[in-house]
Amino acid sequence: MSLYAIGDLHLSLGLDKPMDVFGGGWDNYVDKLAAGFARLNDTDTTVLCGDITWGMTLTESLPDFQFIDALPGRKIILKGNHDYWWATSAKISAFFEQHQMKTIDILNNNSYHVGEKAVCGTRGWFFEEQTGSEHDKKILAREVMRLESSLKSAGDAVEKICFLHYPPVYKNYVCRDIIDVMQKYGVKQCWYGHIHSFGHRAAVTGDFEGIEYHLVSADYVDFSPVEVE
């Protein structure tokens, strides 16, 4: 029973919006994802770090979720900035149940225990004091609250691992509020997506202020889930 992570699948099986047009390894990316997941088994769990499907609604996204549901193991999903289909947890769960999808869970103000680890997290947000709007400030404040709710729900007996869509550190940017909450709850690992292409060069990986950061955007990890050690 192993824990894996990957982000930014950007599926569009029911829409004409394939990522192949961007090059940079995205050609035949659906086949690559299927091959990457093929080495997992049904006792494994994979966290999908946002930007899951281009569908604007749950109905438009159905073929994408059916593809995900058929992949080996359990999948835990969190929201990305392009997940416009996202609804309340109750509506998403009801949609999955209606379509007999049983391997996908939602990470939203909650947590999941996988062995001796607790899967915690939220979308996150980019906000810079000098240039950010009041609207962005409010979004970040909500994301900080969601992250704290998730971490608190995990209890004290397990290692808390944080999964985000937006990176809390990138180039010279530091999201102090998100990092402070992770440090408050003793988080030692943070896994995130969102960063693509030339942005990979500026991504922060490795230790920063006592937390180990891992970028798992699909095109960065060659469309194969990465095991969380």
Side-chain angles (χ1 to χ4, degrees):
M1 181 175 65
S2 298
L3 178 63
Y4 294 84
I6 188 171
D8 305 81
L9 275 57
H10 286 294
L11 296 169
S12 62
L13 297 174
L15 301 170
D16 186 21
K17 196 172 182 179
M19 293 291 289
D20 306 64
V21 297
F22 293 105
W26 283 98
D27 53 303
N28 301 316
Y29 70 104
V30 176
D31 291 338
K32 291 177 181 177
L33 287 168
F37 272 86
R39 62 192 177 86
L40 278 62
N41 60 57
D42 286 338
T43 64
D44 295 328
T45 297
T46 304
V47 182
L48 306 184
C49 297
D51 280 5
I52 295 162
T53 164
W54 284 112
M56 297 296 290
T57 65
L58 283 165
T59 301
E60 280 190 352
S61 304
L62 178 57
D64 301 325
F65 286 121
Q66 289 172 327
F67 171 80
I68 291 168
D69 186 58
L71 294 171
R74 176 193 192 189
K75 279 71 64 173
I76 298 173
I77 63 174
L78 59 93
K79 185 179 182 180
N81 60 304
H82 290 301
D83 287 318
Y84 303 115
W85 54 270
W86 194 271
T88 64
S89 296
K91 287 182 179 178
I92 298 171
S93 296
F95 181 80
F96 290 162
E97 184 175 356
Q98 176 189 355
H99 294 282
Q100 300 180 320
M101 292 182 284
K102 300 179 180 180
T103 71
I104 309 174
D105 291 311
I106 305 146
L107 184 60
N108 186 44
N109 296 316
N110 59 348
S111 59
Y112 296 93
H113 286 200
V114 179
E116 297 180 353
K117 300 179 177 67
V119 172
C120 307
T122 188
R123 174 182 56 179
W125 198 249
F126 276 139
F127 175 75
E128 298 188 65
E129 292 288 347
Q130 294 80 6
T131 59
S133 66
E134 282 299 312
H135 177 66
D136 286 323
K137 188 175 183 179
K138 289 179 181 177
I139 293 175
L140 176 60
R142 286 198 297 268
E143 291 298 309
V144 170
M145 290 175 60
R146 287 171 179 148
L147 178 58
E148 182 149 25
S149 294
S150 177
L151 290 164
K152 189 180 294 184
S153 74
D156 299 322
V158 292
E159 177 190 0
K160 299 176 182 67
I161 301 178
C162 188
F163 297 86
L164 303 169
H165 180 64
Y166 284 101
V169 285
Y170 179 67
K171 293 184 178 178
N172 297 321
Y173 170 74
V174 176
C175 186
R176 189 78 265 157
D177 292 340
I178 293 285
I179 293 174
D180 286 348
V181 171
M182 290 195 292
Q183 291 176 335
K184 175 182 175 180
Y185 286 88
V187 172
K188 298 300 182 185
Q189 293 188 56
C190 177
W191 299 69
Y192 67 91
H194 186 65
I195 306 301
H196 298 295
S197 188
F198 297 110
H200 294 162
R201 302 174 186 174
V204 174
T205 58
D207 180 81
F208 180 83
E209 295 186 359
I211 298 174
E212 195 81 11
Y213 289 90
H214 305 266
L215 171 62
V216 287
S217 299
D219 55 327
Y220 183 75
V221 298
D222 199 25
F223 303 92
S224 184
V226 177
E227 186 169 4
V228 177
E229 299 291 348

